[in-house]
Amino acid sequence: QVQLVESGGGLVQPGGSLRLSCAASGDTSSPYSMGWFRQAPGKERELVATIDWSSSSTYYLNSVKGRFAISRDNAKNTVFLQMNRLRPEDTAVYYCAADRRDVITLPPAAWGYWGQGTQVTVSS
């Protein structure tokens, strides 16, 4: 089992930045795939950014390309999401996810481990 704990959410003005962190614990031979998803009220959970074990492959939602950057530190079993130039439409609960398989391009149902989520609100 892998437990995931997110941190770093909050309220930010449009155009601002936030950095999310997700620490994995438990059975932590570092998961092959790690990533961030989000879910806004009334909408389905969607992939935001994912990364493979070596950080050689990343995958982004089109609307966040050039604004968000995912990275990971395998020594600390942690994945990060740097979010810049935030927009009101980025408002959602952001979830960290992990899996021992290569699922970085796959939808939420393919991922085995989830955090509890952290709220990100972009508003003036």
Side-chain angles (χ1 to χ4, degrees):
Q1 285 289 336
V2 175
Q3 291 80 45
L4 303 172
V5 178
E6 303 100 335
S7 60
L11 173 64
V12 63
Q13 292 186 343
S17 298
L18 282 175
R19 180 176 169 89
L20 304 183
S21 300
C22 171
S25 62
D27 180 11
T28 55
S29 52
S30 194
Y32 185 91
S33 303
M34 297 191 79
W36 293 93
F37 293 73
R38 69 187 182 189
Q39 188 166 17
K43 295 188 176 181
E44 293 187 353
R45 191 170 299 188
E46 62 180 356
L47 184 156
V48 176
T50 60
I51 189 168
D52 72 352
W53 187 88
S54 66
S55 300
S56 62
S57 293
T58 57
Y59 189 79
Y60 290 94
L61 180 68
N62 281 340
S63 64
V64 308
K65 286 180 181 178
R67 301 189 297 123
F68 291 11
I70 190 170
S71 61
R72 65 188 289 172
D73 182 341
N74 290 336
K76 297 181 179 180
N77 289 318
T78 302
V79 64
F80 305 96
L81 185 67
Q82 178 67 44
M83 304 186 293
N84 300 323
R85 305 202 308 275
L86 282 159
R87 305 168 180 169
E89 54 264 38
D90 294 318
T91 295
V93 177
Y94 283 69
Y95 295 92
C96 177
D99 200 282
R100 299 202 182 282
R101 304 162 298 160
D102 181 3
V103 294
I104 68 167
T105 62
L106 298 184
W111 293 68
Y113 302 105
W114 290 90
Q116 292 299 306
T118 185
Q119 177 70 45
V120 172
T121 302
V122 185
S123 174
S124 55

